[in-house]
Amino acid sequence: MILVGFIGSAGSGPPERSRGILRHPPFAYFWSATTIRAFGGAIAGVASQVLIVTVVNATPLQISVLNALGVVPYLFLGLIIGALMDRWSRQRTLVLTTIGRAATLAAIPILLLLNALDFWALAVVVLILGVLTLFSDSAEQPLLPRIVPRASLVTANSRIGQSRTVAGTAGPALGGVLFNIVGAPILFAFEAVINAIAAILQARINVDEPKPEKRPPERHAGHDIAEGMRYTYQHPTLRPLALSGHVWFLGNSIVVTVFAVFVLRELALPSWAFGVALTAGGVGGFVGAMIAPRDGVRLGAGKAILLGRVLVVIPARARARAAHRRHRRRRRAGHRRGRAIRLLPRDGHRRHE
């Protein structure tokens, strides 16, 4: 998030330049599709967490499995799909995966109305969405430089970064409120429609993608994967950055798994309050995106990233302390209730000392 904010904000440029990039039709379609998908994803993200915890009534282990299924494709297929994107049409891949997301999301309200949405059905849906999202992300990132001129690339990234930040800030609260008002079936049907509209916009992008270079018959995707890994993990700058990203991703996955259970079950807060809590995180991301360029220039990109990693520890520790104090209070209350019950006379009469 800090890197995205740094790149986006650093190149925001004059307002007229930022507006001018939207007059470029291919980017206008690309930006519109990305923006509505970001809003829809933020809204549906809250709804899915509430659905898992309160409707499916998944156990903490099942919740962790569902969250893991969303990222498992990145672990096992990320390198393969990244290599395949050099051989496939990125725009066609982007359109097809968005259509696939629309169809998969449309299955959720159908399963809910049929009372057939259980843990296993939801696990299949989450896994399919994870694979489709991986294909979409792998096609979207290298497609942008083909859509806009090189001189406008930073401004284009800024526009997209700003849209995603706004979506991540407003979307969760809106998703929590809509979940209470319209319910899960309509909310996920709405998200499916959003993806269908995004696919139409993506199909209208006029982009010239060069045909992939012919490779020797003996050279396959495995060679590209091996070269990419050697370059990344032997590079003096990329290696520590990648390793720190792995550790952060592991810790963040644990927090995401536990947070929904803690808010919706332990604290017994409604879905709109859960959305507001996530929105607070989006506000923090927005503030960080505003501060990151200045700190990046003053401290340097490496030190700015390190500062961000260190600052993450403060709210994480605060959450852990709050949860620990609540657990201790509940345990003490349980001991007091148990002691009071043991002191009650068994025959129903008060005992005399």
Side-chain angles (χ1 to χ4, degrees):
M1 292 297 293
I2 293 177
L3 284 176
V4 172
F6 175 74
I7 295 171
S9 302
S12 55
E16 60 272 12
R17 183 186 301 176
S18 186
R19 287 194 298 268
I21 191 65
L22 290 178
R23 298 192 184 99
H24 185 55
F27 177 74
Y29 288 125
F30 183 89
W31 174 80
S32 300
T34 302
T35 299
I36 64 172
R37 271 192 57 188
F39 270 99
I43 293 171
V46 175
S48 63
Q49 291 291 327
V50 178
L51 184 74
I52 292 169
V53 176
T54 63
V55 178
V56 179
N57 290 319
T59 65
L61 177 60
Q62 290 174 332
I63 295 172
S64 64
V65 170
L66 290 172
N67 285 327
L69 288 175
V71 297
V72 158
Y74 287 82
L75 179 62
F76 292 100
L77 301 176
L79 295 174
I80 299 174
I81 292 176
L84 292 176
M85 281 301 103
D86 292 334
R87 296 166 168 80
W88 294 352
S89 168
R90 297 180 177 98
Q91 183 190 15
R92 186 180 300 115
T93 301
L94 193 60
V95 173
L96 291 176
T97 53
T98 305
I99 293 173
R101 283 178 56 86
T104 305
L105 288 164
I108 297 179
I110 296 174
L111 292 171
L112 283 169
L113 294 175
L114 296 176
N115 199 25
L117 186 67
D118 57 8
F119 167 74
W120 296 108
L122 194 57
V124 173
V125 170
V126 171
L127 182 60
I128 294 174
L129 287 175
V131 173
L132 291 173
T133 302
L134 172 58
F135 273 99
S136 177
D137 289 346
S138 300
E140 188 179 63
Q141 294 173 3
L143 183 63
L144 182 60
R146 298 290 179 183
I147 294 176
V148 299
R150 183 178 180 85
S152 302
L153 187 59
V154 175
T155 306
N157 272 313
S158 173
R159 272 291 185 179
I160 294 172
Q162 290 166 358
S163 300
R164 286 175 172 166
T165 300
V166 173
T169 302
L174 184 59
V177 172
L178 289 177
F179 191 93
N180 276 345
I181 296 176
V182 303
I186 295 179
L187 195 57
F188 281 102
F190 174 70
E191 168 66 357
V193 172
I194 284 179
N195 275 268
I197 296 174
I200 295 173
L201 294 172
Q202 291 165 347
R204 295 179 63 85
I205 298 173
N206 184 16
V207 57
D208 182 21
E209 290 190 76
K211 294 183 179 180
E213 298 179 0
K214 291 185 178 181
R215 301 169 185 264
E218 66 275 6
R219 184 176 179 84
H220 51 78
H223 292 95
D224 295 338
I225 294 172
E227 285 184 2
M229 292 188 68
R230 279 197 301 268
Y231 179 80
T232 300
Y233 291 100
Q234 292 179 0
H235 195 281
T237 302
L238 293 180
R239 182 176 64 250
L241 186 61
L243 293 176
S244 70
H246 298 334
V247 175
W248 179 89
F249 191 79
L250 174 63
N252 188 66
S253 300
I254 296 173
V255 172
V256 169
T257 301
V258 176
F259 186 67
V261 179
F262 178 68
V263 173
L264 297 171
R265 286 186 184 168
E266 292 290 327
L267 301 181
L269 295 179
S271 57
W272 65 264
F274 177 60
V276 169
L278 295 181
T279 295
V283 172
F286 181 79
V287 173
M290 296 298 101
I291 297 174
R294 186 180 304 170
D295 288 344
V297 173
R298 183 183 306 167
L299 303 175
K303 291 182 179 179
I305 294 172
L306 178 60
L307 177 62
R309 292 281 194 255
V310 172
L311 290 178
V312 167
V313 176
I314 298 175
R317 180 172 175 80
R319 284 196 303 263
R321 287 176 63 87
H324 180 65
R325 285 197 300 266
R326 179 176 176 82
H327 177 70
R328 289 181 62 184
R329 285 197 300 267
R330 292 184 62 182
R331 190 168 59 180
R332 289 172 183 170
H335 288 332
R336 286 196 295 267
R337 284 195 298 269
R339 184 178 179 184
I341 292 173
R342 288 195 300 270
L343 292 176
L344 289 176
R346 296 182 180 180
D347 58 359
H349 298 286
R350 188 178 297 277
R351 290 182 295 185
H352 297 282
E353 296 296 337

